[in-house]
Amino acid sequence: EAITASAIKLTATITDFDGDSVTSDAVDIGASFTFEDDGPAVTIELDAQATVTLDESGDQAGALAGAASLNTGVIVKGDDPDVDGSNALSIATSGGAIVTFAANNPLYGADGQGADPVYALQIDTASLTDITLTDGSTITLQLVGDVIVGVVDNGTFTGQAAFAIGINASTGNVTVEQYLSLEHPDNPDQDEPVTLDSGAISVVVTVEDGD
């Protein structure tokens, strides 16, 4: 912040040897004074140990199904007709913050820390994914509030959510819920995983200092 122009003016008065004096016209010096803030800074890194892996079979499809809690807004969560029940096929979490702070971060400066850090998801690249349903329907990523939803583009489940990804704004813990069966490669076996493209989504963290 700078002082408003003309708020401060400077005059100079000189006096000669026998006591005569004269004062100059005032010169504006308000813009010469600037007060810089000591703002916060933060750098984050991916926690390689905090991965999220969903399994369409076994305990995850059974014990965890029904615990779906991510809010997909007006987008209806898909209900796969080939799977018993009407709950999520699978749910998994990162078990901790998906990202960590770099060394000596966050930096709050002279103002000290204000509010706690806030975690959020964002879509970074083309929203069309390489992941499809088992019937070949394509899936597009959409940000609904604070949840990323994989929305089916075509076919029987058009407009429905195939999966959703959410993050706990306070802890950075990521949850993924799967509602419809996804296509997996057959080689070298039928249990090959599929993943989102690198750079498709990311996490941002907002920090606030004391002022």
Side-chain angles (χ1 to χ4, degrees):
E1 295 290 342
I3 294 177
T4 304
S6 300
I8 301 177
K9 295 185 177 181
L10 178 69
T11 59
T13 301
I14 59 173
T15 303
D16 64 14
F17 190 75
D18 67 355
D20 298 322
S21 64
V22 62
T23 300
S24 69
D25 293 334
V27 175
D28 175 21
I29 60 171
S32 299
F33 300 92
T34 302
F35 301 88
E36 293 187 352
D37 191 13
D38 188 12
V42 61
T43 301
I44 58 174
E45 302 169 342
L46 178 68
D47 184 347
Q49 304 302 314
T51 58
V52 185
T53 302
L54 288 84
D55 190 346
E56 294 180 0
S57 62
D59 291 340
Q60 293 218 19
L64 292 182
S69 61
L70 295 179
N71 182 7
T72 58
V74 298
I75 301 174
V76 176
K77 297 175 182 178
D79 182 8
D80 198 308
D82 296 322
V83 178
D84 292 338
S86 58
N87 300 315
L89 299 183
S90 184
I91 299 173
T93 70
S94 58
I98 198 77
V99 294
T100 59
F101 293 110
N104 301 317
N105 271 257
L107 302 174
Y108 293 105
D111 296 319
Q113 181 178 349
D116 291 333
V118 176
Y119 298 80
L121 296 173
Q122 68 180 26
I123 299 173
D124 286 343
T125 59
S127 57
L128 182 65
T129 72
D130 290 332
I131 296 177
T132 65
L133 298 185
T134 51
D135 65 4
S137 299
T138 56
I139 297 172
T140 299
L141 298 179
Q142 294 184 26
L143 187 61
V144 180
D146 56 0
V147 174
I148 293 176
V149 182
V151 182
V152 181
D153 296 317
N154 41 60
T156 304
F157 304 100
T158 299
Q160 297 184 24
F163 58 84
I165 306 170
I167 192 168
N168 185 304
S170 299
T171 66
N173 189 36
V174 170
T175 298
V176 182
E177 298 175 353
Q178 181 183 345
Y179 314 116
L180 297 171
S181 296
L182 304 178
E183 179 68 16
H184 293 265
D186 291 333
N187 295 312
D189 59 60
Q190 294 182 339
D191 198 26
E192 286 297 290
V194 291
T195 63
L196 289 173
D197 293 336
S198 177
I201 65 174
S202 64
V203 174
V204 294
V205 180
T206 301
V207 298
E208 181 182 291
D209 67 14
D211 71 349

